[in-house]
Amino acid sequence: MMNVIWRNCICCLRQRKVPSRCQSGYHPVAPLGSRILTDPARVFEHNMWDHMQWSKEEEEEARKKVEENSAVQVILEKQVKYESEASKYWDTFYKIHKNKFFKNRNWLLREFPEILPIDQKIEENVEELSWDHVKTNAADCFSGKQEQKKHLKKNGLSDGQSQLRSDFSNLEAEEARKELQKTEVFPGSNATFRILEVGCGAGSSVFPILNTLQNLPESFLYCCDFASRAVELVKAHSSYRASQCSAFVHDICEDGLPYPFPDGILDVVLLVFVLSSIHPDRMQGVVSRLSKLLKPGGMLLFRDYGRYDKTQLRFKKGHCLSENFYVRGDGTRAYFFTKGEVHHMFHKAGLYEKQNLVDHRLQVNRKKQVKMHRVWVQGKFQKPLKWTQNFSNL
Ligand SMILES: C[S@@+](CC[C@H](N)C(=O)[O-])C[C@H]1O[C@@H](n2cnc3c(N)ncnc32)[C@H](O)[C@@H]1O
């Protein structure tokens, strides 16, 4: 009986869309939540206000602060060290903070109900994309019709049917290879629903997810981080269950490193506050690699820092590595995204945008009577049912 109730609850959560928010494209963002500040005099009555609109003056002030704190860039020699020793800096971070720094991401299932499996996949309304649809969406990354035409032509898409036929025969061979791989035994090979969290840290998302999955034995959670101390913390946690979770050390920038499971088998990839710590030149490679791990129809769920978030504005001069990319005092790094950049990167990786929004909030320190703008970017990107390698080159 309990199991039935539990499953019904999960189905409700799973099917709940987030209709009040901007789902994709460049449309204005609809209200983010219920707490809207209508009377500025009441600002110190709550800790957080949703859906804050910035005034022109606030935006200009933020732009100036960023201009100031980016005026001097860190010398190349140090930049190389931050890149080549990135995992060491994060490892030291976990040596110091253990699992005390990041709070459990309890909002995760509310924002990303896709993390949960549903019994009837048919209800999932997975987009079966036609090539026209795919091409149109790819072209959306670029402004202006001329540029779209040039880009499609460069990638051979204007050759139409003959190109498509060869893409699909390649796809058949690829699918056959994947089917073979799927018969292999690997951790989670018996599961029917598989999630991977990359850059899992000490498990702030892992454990809320695992707690929810405990009544769903057909589900399996993989999680990885390149900081071995973080992975040790996850494995040592009292809620870690090897029967339903596999934590492993993995650097997502190392394209050639194998994952402990075949490509094309994941239902969900979770990328939460991780891409921002990666060098901008390597981000596209990471996203494209992760996209290959998804099965057709699988979802990549993303949340990270947005441009002009208070943490960007607080950096002092001397911490800037390159435009909108900074290094903290402990050697870890942070990039601040725009919605357009996120859109471009995920489309280039062959994924279809289901949601891409900027979450603007006003955080209030009531004791100190201080107001801070928080900005996050959140997106949901789906692998089309008909996916080809060629599309990933777009
Ligand atoms: C800001 S923390 C976020 C941790 C966790 N996702 C969360 O939301 O609490 C970023 C994490 O990404 C990991 N990370 C950064 N670059 C990575 C890479 N190239 N490969 C794997 N993990 C990486 C770091 O070790 C760190 O645990």
Side-chain angles (χ1 to χ4, degrees), residues 88-285:
K88 268 199 205 164
Y89 289 110
W90 276 108
D91 213 48
T92 307
F93 174 92
Y94 289 109
K95 184 179 174 187
I96 297 166
H97 299 288
K98 309 235 167 13
N99 57 2
K100 303 282 180 276
F101 193 87
F102 299 112
K103 287 190 201 135
N104 267 4
R105 311 275 186 205
N106 292 322
W107 47 264
L108 209 68
L109 291 159
R110 193 182 61 234
E111 289 298 327
F112 296 138
E114 294 81 359
I115 290 172
L116 298 176
I118 50 167
D119 288 341
Q120 298 113 316
K121 283 278 167 195
I122 207 147
E123 290 176 53
E124 216 174 353
N125 190 23
V126 167
E127 299 268 345
E128 179 146 6
L129 299 171
S130 70
W131 264 94
D132 279 349
H133 196 166
V134 170
K135 283 189 280 186
T136 310
N137 275 293
D140 279 350
C141 305
F142 305 94
S143 56
K145 286 209 164 168
Q146 275 309 97
E147 228 171 333
Q148 289 177 13
K149 268 192 197 160
K150 250 194 290 171
H151 191 79
L152 292 175
K153 195 166 180 197
K154 186 172 149 233
N155 287 285
L157 290 174
S158 57
D159 288 341
Q161 293 302 321
S162 63
Q163 173 68 50
L164 288 186
R165 264 197 294 276
S166 87
D167 284 343
F168 283 117
S169 57
N170 288 344
L171 183 64
E172 276 163 24
E174 179 65 13
E175 289 302 323
R177 191 183 61 78
K178 277 185 197 151
E179 278 310 312
L180 262 182
Q181 280 180 325
K182 281 180 209 166
T183 59
E184 288 168 18
V185 175
F186 52 89
S189 54
N190 290 330
T192 54
F193 192 86
R194 302 184 191 94
I195 307 159
L196 165 68
E197 195 203 358
V198 292
C200 62
S204 52
S205 299
V206 170
F207 296 107
I209 297 174
L210 262 186
N211 286 343
T212 310
L213 295 187
Q214 63 186 334
N215 289 303
L216 299 165
E218 71 278 15
S219 311
F220 197 87
L221 174 65
Y222 304 95
C223 54
C224 68
D225 202 288
F226 70 171
S228 53
R229 273 201 179 87
V231 175
E232 280 163 23
L233 286 166
V234 170
K235 286 185 155 176
H237 195 284
S238 57
S239 300
Y240 183 78
R241 296 188 304 281
S243 58
Q244 214 176 11
C245 184
S246 168
F248 56 99
V249 177
H250 187 93
D251 184 343
I252 54 172
C253 289
E254 292 305 326
D255 208 18
L257 278 185
Y259 283 82
F261 48 81
D263 285 1
I265 62 133
L266 297 177
D267 293 273
V268 175
V269 170
L270 197 60
L271 191 57
V272 176
F273 295 102
V274 177
L275 208 56
S276 53
S277 55
I278 285 167
H279 193 286
D281 289 353
R282 306 188 81 173
M283 287 178 188
Q284 185 63 59

